[in-house]
Amino acid sequence: MALLRKINRVLLVLLVLMLCLLLHSTLLRASTRPRLTDRRKTLGRTARVPAAKVPESDNVIPVVICASEERVGATMATINSIFSNTDARVFFYIVTLRDAVKLIRRYIEKTTLKHIKYKILEFNPMVLRGKVKPDSSRPDLLHPLNFVRFYLPLLDIDQKKVIYLDDDVIVQGDIKDLFNIKLEPGHAAAFATDCDLPSTHEMVRSIGMQTTYMGFLDYRKQEVKDLGINPRDCSFNPGVFLADISEWKKQKITKQLENWMEENFRQNIYSSAMAGGVATPPMLIVFHDKYTTLDPLWHVRHLGWSPDARYAESFLQEAHLLHWNGPFKPWNYPAVHLDLWERWFIPDPSRRFSLVRPDSDS
């Protein structure tokens, strides 16, 4: 009888252990599986930081900017330039990946940026699965944060209109002037075209860049021909834009962009080598002839396409916004117009981000 009770106890213990293992396995699968059904939570979860509460006033200017771990100092320079050149109430939505949250929080709290109003959002790169191909020509252009601009309405942002900026931007003007630009009826965004200023044309010619759709799409592909877009139509740069979130949702812009990403994944209708990045062509397709044009001084670009080609200093002083798009970034070396960027740079208190200069050890 005693032996039977021992056997029963052993069996009971084994049964309890099996139930525990089964429960643990179930919970583990639930925690690691991406919850794509609730896309808003998946794409833009608020990181646990002691950030300010988002103001509800219509007077607040929301700015969305990404901050990768390896380029966090660039993002902070952009934020500093905006904050220093306006008296408007700006709220920064800083989008990043999980590994950079603590670094960003420390950068803000331990520097003069501690006075800004902000919220850190985590972006889940799983939403890009099956939409972006590996490319060895410029792997930095395939960073998940390059595609955050596609998903603005799905982030944890409540404002009706937002400004999106790349991290290689310096704002010299008052950001409220950009925010107050009125979008034309039916337009979900405003961009600066590549065919605006004579100074930009001269720069583009000197470095052999393209300013038309021919430079971004493969017109040998039937899918591109079927679009009916004239290859000589002027292109635009999506590194700086103003977005109407309500109109974006109404037109299902995000879904359209995803469809073209998936199409390129299957058919290779554009490439990072051809287009200078795979984030631009879907925007060019979806917004063709459907965007408001920004004042060109609000997006003076191509500063990062050559280590030698320079704009006239007098022209750059007039510009409201400077963009070092291209491979030659102002925190690296060589690059041009370093002084205009460096005046807004704030050293990293963690010393993980540092400038590369001829006399530096980096």
Side-chain angles (χ1 to χ4, degrees):
M1 195 69 179
L3 178 61
L4 183 59
R5 283 199 297 270
K6 287 183 179 180
I7 292 173
N8 287 337
R9 282 200 297 270
V10 170
L11 290 173
L12 181 61
V13 171
L14 289 174
L15 179 61
V16 171
L17 287 173
M18 288 179 64
L19 288 173
C20 290
L21 287 172
L22 181 61
L23 179 61
H24 178 267
S25 177
T26 303
L27 291 174
L28 183 62
R29 285 197 302 271
S31 64
T32 56
R33 184 171 55 243
R35 293 174 289 177
L36 296 179
T37 52
D38 188 351
R39 302 187 76 198
R40 185 183 177 96
K41 289 182 180 178
T42 302
L43 291 173
R45 181 174 55 192
T46 304
R48 294 181 180 177
V49 296
K53 183 179 179 181
V54 184
E56 297 179 357
S57 170
D58 292 336
N59 295 325
V60 170
I61 298 174
V63 175
V64 177
I65 185 168
C66 296
S68 64
E69 184 176 18
E70 59 273 22
R71 288 166 53 150
V72 65
T75 301
M76 297 306 154
T78 303
I79 291 174
N80 187 34
S81 71
I82 296 169
F83 184 68
S84 301
N85 287 310
T86 187
D87 57 4
R89 298 174 63 202
V90 182
F91 195 93
F92 296 96
Y93 292 93
I94 305 171
V95 188
T96 190
L97 303 182
R98 182 170 298 181
D99 57 4
V101 170
K102 290 182 180 179
L103 179 62
I104 294 168
R105 180 175 59 192
R106 179 177 174 81
Y107 216 129
I108 293 172
E109 292 179 349
K110 300 296 182 181
T111 65
T112 55
L113 293 178
K114 61 187 176 183
H115 301 296
I116 70 169
K117 305 298 183 184
Y118 72 99
K119 180 163 69 171
I120 299 177
L121 302 175
E122 292 179 19
F123 183 74
N124 188 343
M126 290 296 292
V127 298
L128 301 175
R129 179 179 288 179
K131 301 181 182 73
V132 180
K133 284 183 178 179
D135 194 312
S136 59
S137 58
R138 280 194 65 188
D140 58 308
L141 297 174
L142 299 178
H143 195 289
L145 294 179
N146 279 343
F147 302 93
V148 165
R149 72 196 83 195
F150 291 9
Y151 296 97
L152 295 181
L154 303 179
L155 298 172
D156 188 16
I157 299 175
D158 296 325
Q159 270 81 0
K160 298 176 182 177
K161 191 169 69 168
V162 302
I163 294 171
Y164 172 88
L165 299 177
D166 278 351
D167 64 359
D168 50 358
V169 158
I170 289 298
V171 177
Q172 299 186 138
D174 191 330
I175 197 72
K176 68 184 175 188
D177 294 336
L178 175 59
F179 186 72
N180 288 334
I181 292 173
K182 291 188 177 181
L183 276 68
E184 296 178 21
H187 287 176
F191 303 94
T193 75
D194 288 326
C195 306
D196 40 32
L197 291 172
S199 297
T200 304
H201 275 303
E202 185 178 343
M203 172 67 77
V204 166
R205 283 196 299 269
S206 70
I207 57 183
M209 281 193 63
Q210 290 284 346
T211 59
T212 66
Y213 274 67
M214 177 64 80
F216 294 86
L217 304 177
D218 188 349
Y219 276 83
R220 296 170 300 181
K221 298 294 175 67
Q222 190 60 45
E223 292 80 8
V224 174
K225 293 178 182 178
D226 290 343
L227 288 169
I229 297 175
N230 190 323
R232 292 186 294 275
D233 281 0
C234 185
S235 54
F236 61 82
N237 185 294
V240 173
F241 63 91
L242 181 65
D244 182 323
I245 299 300
S246 299
E247 194 66 35
W248 193 295
K249 290 178 180 177
K250 180 181 176 181
Q251 297 183 31
K252 297 181 172 60
I253 298 293
T254 295
K255 185 59 181 174
Q256 292 186 57
L257 292 168
E258 285 189 322
N259 289 342
W260 282 107
M261 292 171 71
E262 291 167 357
E263 184 69 22
N264 184 64
F265 193 88
R266 294 188 297 266
Q267 303 289 339
N268 199 32
I269 60 176
Y270 51 83
S271 68
S272 63
M274 169 183 276
V278 294
T280 296
M283 300 281 276
L284 290 176
I285 294 171
V286 172
F287 284 100
H288 179 253
D289 278 347
K290 295 185 212 173
Y291 67 90
T292 300
T293 302
L294 291 178
D295 178 341
L297 290 177
W298 266 111
H299 193 178
V300 174
R301 52 214 172 277
H302 313 317
L303 278 76
W305 273 105
S306 168
D308 304 307
R310 304 175 65 93
Y311 282 105
E313 292 295 334
S314 57
F315 170 68
L316 293 182
Q317 293 298 329
E318 296 176 4
H320 306 318
L321 183 148
L322 305 176
H323 189 183
W324 279 263
N325 58 308
F328 299 97
K329 303 300 184 187
W331 53 88
N332 288 328
Y333 189 85
V336 296
H337 304 296
L338 299 179
D339 57 319
L340 296 178
W341 182 88
E342 224 173 292
R343 64 181 297 189
W344 305 111
F345 172 65
I346 299 174
D348 180 5
S350 301
R351 298 185 178 181
R352 295 174 65 178
F353 181 95
S354 59
L355 303 184
V356 178
R357 295 295 181 256
D359 55 351
S360 73
D361 296 327
S362 304

